[in-house]
């Protein structure tokens, strides 16, 4: 066992004395030691209940003959951090989560790990750690939040602010939405980033079926956690490690299932970062290639009326989506998963099929022939930009708009709420990328305000920052190279025309190359925004959004 190097032999008597200080018996010390990584805290609604999940995991480990040892991980609530300086710290937390797990699992050589995340950066951070360490590991999340009354969710509240500002909602009505839209624990209801990544953890085989959709408040979630605790012991016994599970075929499967679900654009950041830890490449070109051949089978909030808990889970969840894709061999069914069986065996042996074709469309009757995400290129984004095309109104797929330019999110937000953005405008927010932000802030505030004010079918928004999975409308993010790296987005001026053509994957600034060259000669960049040690280090180490905003390898 891996843990033998710290507990076996007479020369490890001192080590065993410290285990005894923890209250462990000799029998417990001799068993496989399983690290239980618990991201519970009292500020993130998705994590407030994770202690219960951890207790269930530990019960499962013990019942299967192991000794669970719990240690913590941090997590940021993106919703609470949104639209202020706090959002600069969200994406950097992903790397810190992965690093902290590496530190703990290398300093204390566990035989296996059970990873318990739930929200946006915690899920990819833990997946990154699992692949980096490559010891038997399984992920079990805290599960999604239920929707509020009338199928409301967090995005409903952000959009309600826009409705209030335009006089379409009273102060009392806003307060009622505010108090009811997020009814309890769990990752925010809807196909937002956290739920997307929890679903894709199933898709790549590192989580048990049901991980992405079983409700946080359900007893089935507790049972799933116990099963994860039991299953990690089988992984340890058979020495099945994350890199045995995650292969080049898994890269394809993750992107294909993401496209079928209509997942968050943040997967374009997180999946490349996760797979890079296994030395597997996932480029923007692969996203676009898979998107062109994978149909969009689901319209989940914010792209449609269905929710991940009440609707997708009831319709069969991620396994049911996979069952449809397998019909046309759009995913590889022969990949191994943490069940010890292949993806196809998990579907066939459990007789998985779609239970509601309104929620999960049949493969021959998709919402659209292409996947939920499109990768755009052009003179604004030579290395690419990302749009959730499944959440864009048809009339906005091809559009010209007039640029209104802002060098930080707060200025854009003020202009939107003050009525300074009109139909036919394109809001440009720059210096919000990984380096320039730093931290690549999410722009849910501006996009939700635009939607809430009824402008999502008339106004574009482009940024070198990123968007929440809750975003809908013609919102194009991840513009690369970013402004802070000298990207062309820095040269856009108020009044410029910008052309969006999603079907042809093009985003073009309608200004001549000669004019742009003249602007580049005269351009003066604003002062760097990094003011704290964490953000200064992050800005120096982070790479482009086009490569998943991973750290430089050197």
């Amino acid at each position: 066992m891996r843990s033998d190097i710290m507990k076996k032999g007479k020369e490890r008597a001192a080590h065993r004395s410290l285990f005894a200080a923890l209250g462990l018996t000799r029998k417990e010390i001799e068993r496989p030691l399983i690290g239980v990584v618990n991201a519970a805290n009292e500020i993130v609604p998705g994590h407030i209940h994770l202690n219960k999940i951890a207790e269930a995991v530990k019960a499962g480990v013990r019942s299967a003959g192991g000794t669970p040892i719990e240690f913590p991980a941090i997590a940021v609530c993106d919703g609470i951090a949104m639209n202020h300086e706090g959002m600069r710290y969200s994406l950097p937390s992903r790397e810190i989560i992965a690093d902290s797990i590496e530190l703990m699992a290398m300093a204390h050589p566990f035989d296996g790990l059970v990873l318990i995340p739930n929200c946006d950066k915690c899920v990819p951070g833990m997946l990154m750690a699992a692949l980096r360490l490559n010891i038997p590991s399984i992920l079990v999340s805290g599960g999604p939040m239920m929707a509020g009354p009338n199928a409301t969710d967090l995005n409903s509240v952000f959009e309600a602010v826009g409705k209030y500002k335009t006089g379409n909602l009273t102060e009392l009505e806003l307060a009622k939405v505010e108090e009811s839209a997020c009814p309890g624990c769990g990752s925010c209801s809807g196909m937002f980033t956290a739920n997307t990544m929890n679903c894709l953890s199933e898709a790549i085989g590192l989580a048990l079926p049901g991980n992405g959709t079983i409700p946080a408040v359900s007893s089935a979630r507790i049972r799933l956690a116990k099963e994860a605790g039991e299953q990690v012991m089988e992984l340890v016994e058979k020495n099945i490690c994350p890199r045995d599970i995650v292969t080049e075929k898994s890269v394809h499967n993750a992107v294909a299932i993401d496209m079928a679900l209509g997942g968050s654009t943040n997967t374009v950041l997180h999946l490349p970062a996760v797979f890079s830890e296994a030395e597997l490449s996932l480029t923007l070109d692969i996203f676009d290639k898979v998107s062109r051949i994978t149909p969009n089978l689901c319209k989940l909030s914010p792209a449609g009326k269905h929710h991940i808990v009440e609707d997708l889970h009831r319709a069969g969840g991620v396994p049911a989506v996979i069952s449809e894709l397998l019909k046309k061999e759009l995913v590889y069914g022969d990949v191994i998963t943490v069940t010890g069986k292949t993806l196809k065996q998990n579907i066939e042996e459990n007789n998985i099929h779609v239970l509601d074709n309104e929620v999960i469309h049949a493969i021959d009757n998709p919402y659209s022939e292409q996947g939920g995400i499109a990768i755009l290129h052009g003179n604004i984004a030579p290395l690419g930009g990302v749009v959730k095309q499944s959440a864009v109104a048809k009339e906005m797929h091809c559009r010209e708009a007039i640029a209104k330019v802002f060098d930080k999110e707060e200025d854009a937000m003020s202009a939107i709420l003050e009525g300074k953005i009109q139909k036919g405008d394109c809001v440009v927010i720059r210096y919000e990328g990984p380096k320039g932000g730093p931290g690549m802030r999410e722009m849910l505030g501006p996009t939700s305000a635009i939607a809430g004010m009824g402008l999502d079918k008339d106004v574009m928004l482009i940024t070198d920052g990123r968007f929440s999975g809750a975003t809908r409308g013609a919102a194009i993010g991840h513009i690369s190279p970013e402004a802070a790296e000298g990207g062309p987005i820095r040269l856009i001026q108020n009044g410029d025309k910008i052309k969006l053509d999603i079907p042809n994957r093009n985003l073009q600034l309608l200004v001549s190359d000669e004019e742009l060259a003249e602007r580049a000669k005269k351009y003066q960049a604003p002062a760097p925004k990094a003011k704290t040690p964490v953000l200064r280090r992050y800005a120096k180490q982070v790479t482009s959004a086009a490569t998943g905003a991973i750290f430089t390898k050197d």
Side-chain angles (χ1 to χ4, degrees):
M1 291 189 294
R2 187 172 180 266
S3 62
D4 283 349
I5 65 173
M6 64 176 172
K7 69 182 187 183
K8 194 171 184 179
K10 294 294 187 289
E11 67 277 11
R12 293 292 184 260
H15 300 66
R16 290 193 296 275
S17 72
L18 293 170
F19 282 117
L22 299 175
L24 297 180
T25 67
R26 285 189 179 274
K27 285 185 178 180
E28 286 177 311
I29 297 169
E30 289 168 359
R31 294 169 183 159
L33 302 183
I34 306 300
V36 178
V37 190
N38 182 6
N41 64 47
E42 294 185 350
I43 186 65
V44 184
H47 290 232
I48 189 71
H49 65 305
L50 292 191
N51 285 330
K52 290 183 178 179
I53 302 297
E55 287 302 319
V57 165
K58 289 188 285 187
V61 171
R62 291 190 188 99
S63 71
T67 298
I69 300 177
E70 183 180 333
F71 63 90
I74 64 168
V76 170
C77 178
D78 277 28
I80 294 174
M82 194 75 65
N83 201 220
H84 58 84
E85 287 295 306
M87 182 46 71
R88 301 195 193 282
Y89 295 85
S90 176
L91 188 56
S93 76
R94 184 187 73 180
E95 319 305 315
I96 291 172
I97 290 163
D99 289 349
S100 66
I101 295 171
E102 177 190 351
L103 290 168
M104 289 295 288
M106 293 303 292
H108 318 99
F110 295 105
D111 298 299
L113 293 174
V114 181
L115 307 162
I116 310 174
N118 211 25
C119 290
D120 294 40
K121 309 307 168 294
C122 199
V123 181
M126 288 194 179
L127 291 172
M128 289 164 66
L131 287 164
R132 183 186 303 177
L133 292 164
N134 200 35
I135 62 175
S137 302
I138 190 169
L139 182 144
V140 56
S141 74
M145 184 185 293
M146 302 298 288
N150 301 313
T152 51
D153 53 39
L154 178 66
N155 195 43
S156 306
V157 189
F158 277 100
E159 293 189 5
V161 174
K163 293 177 182 178
Y164 171 73
K165 289 289 184 179
T166 55
N168 292 318
L169 208 65
T170 67
E171 186 174 350
L172 180 59
E173 289 171 329
L174 175 59
K176 287 183 177 179
V177 173
E178 172 186 328
E179 292 172 1
S180 64
C182 299
C185 67
S187 48
C188 295
S189 183
M191 190 49 75
F192 311 147
T193 305
N195 288 329
T196 300
M197 289 304 301
N198 280 322
C199 288
L200 296 186
S201 298
E202 289 185 50
I204 63 177
L206 290 179
L208 293 172
N211 180 72
T213 60
I214 293 175
V217 295
S218 169
S219 62
R221 176 61 55 176
I222 300 298
R223 294 196 298 272
L224 185 77
K226 289 180 181 177
E227 290 166 4
E230 293 170 353
Q231 191 61 28
V232 75
M233 294 301 295
E234 182 176 328
L235 299 176
V236 170
E237 180 184 352
K238 296 180 179 178
N239 195 32
I240 299 174
C241 297
R243 293 194 198 180
D244 299 321
I245 294 169
V246 177
T247 64
E248 287 187 0
K249 290 181 178 180
S250 306
V251 173
H252 173 92
N253 285 357
V255 178
I257 295 163
D258 186 17
M259 296 304 159
L261 287 169
S264 165
T265 54
N266 279 323
T267 58
V268 181
L269 279 179
H270 297 322
L271 289 178
V274 169
F275 290 126
S276 72
E277 297 288 352
E279 299 181 5
L280 296 168
S281 176
L282 175 51
T283 64
L284 294 185
D285 289 339
I286 294 174
F287 270 99
D288 201 55
K289 179 181 177 181
V290 176
S291 177
R292 288 178 183 273
I293 63 172
T294 307
N296 179 215
L297 303 181
C298 302
K299 282 280 189 183
L300 300 161
S301 175
K305 64 181 181 180
H306 298 126
H307 277 75
I308 190 163
V309 179
E310 289 84 346
D311 299 308
L312 180 60
H313 182 62
R314 175 178 50 79
V318 176
V321 175
I322 294 172
S323 73
E324 287 298 309
L325 296 177
L326 281 169
K327 290 178 181 178
K328 290 197 174 181
E329 298 183 345
L330 293 172
V331 291
Y332 294 100
D334 60 347
V335 294
I336 196 73
T337 72
V338 288
T339 65
K341 300 178 180 180
T342 67
L343 195 67
K344 190 173 184 179
Q345 285 175 322
N346 289 339
I347 302 301
E348 291 181 345
E349 292 181 10
N350 292 287
N351 191 27
I352 300 296
H353 58 278
V354 176
L355 302 176
D356 187 337
N357 278 124
E358 183 182 349
V359 179
I360 304 172
H361 277 208
I363 195 70
D364 293 321
N365 181 37
Y367 279 103
S368 63
E369 294 295 333
Q370 294 188 2
I373 292 174
I375 307 299
L376 310 178
H377 289 86
N379 63 354
I380 295 177
L383 297 181
V386 182
V387 63
K388 190 173 183 176
Q389 63 175 338
S390 60
V392 180
K394 290 294 182 184
E395 52 264 50
M396 289 297 291
H397 278 230
C398 294
R399 178 65 67 96
E400 287 187 13
I402 304 299
K404 296 281 184 70
V405 183
F406 307 91
D407 284 345
K408 61 180 180 179
E409 179 191 2
E410 288 85 351
D411 292 346
M413 189 68 174
S414 295
I416 294 166
L417 294 179
E418 291 169 9
K420 296 179 180 179
I421 303 301
Q422 308 297 323
K423 292 182 178 180
D425 285 345
C426 176
V427 177
V428 179
I429 308 176
R430 58 196 181 190
Y431 290 98
E432 290 288 5
K435 285 185 179 293
M440 202 178 183
R441 291 195 287 178
E442 286 187 348
M443 304 292 163
L444 179 56
T447 56
S448 296
I450 287 170
M453 297 170 82
L455 295 172
D456 56 300
K457 295 181 180 179
D458 300 287
V459 171
M460 291 163 47
L461 193 154
I462 68 172
T463 179
D464 54 8
R466 60 193 174 91
F467 295 113
S468 164
T471 295
R472 63 185 173 96
I476 302 100
H478 304 225
I479 299 295
S480 301
E482 61 175 294
E485 287 191 307
I489 189 174
R490 80 192 196 284
L491 303 177
I492 302 174
Q493 295 182 358
N494 286 322
D496 286 346
K497 286 188 177 181
I498 294 173
K499 183 177 181 179
L500 171 65
D501 185 348
I502 293 177
N504 290 305
R505 303 298 200 262
N506 191 251
L507 181 66
Q508 201 75 11
L509 178 62
L510 302 181
V511 174
S512 69
D513 292 343
E514 293 77 15
E515 170 62 18
L516 291 177
E518 285 299 312
R519 291 183 186 181
K521 291 177 184 178
K522 301 174 184 177
Y523 188 80
Q524 290 186 331
K529 298 175 184 174
K531 296 177 182 178
T532 68
V534 167
L535 293 183
R536 286 197 297 269
R537 288 195 299 270
Y538 185 80
K540 287 181 179 179
Q541 293 178 276
V542 73
T543 61
S544 168
T547 56
I550 61 175
F551 278 180
T552 53
K553 295 298 184 183
D554 56 355

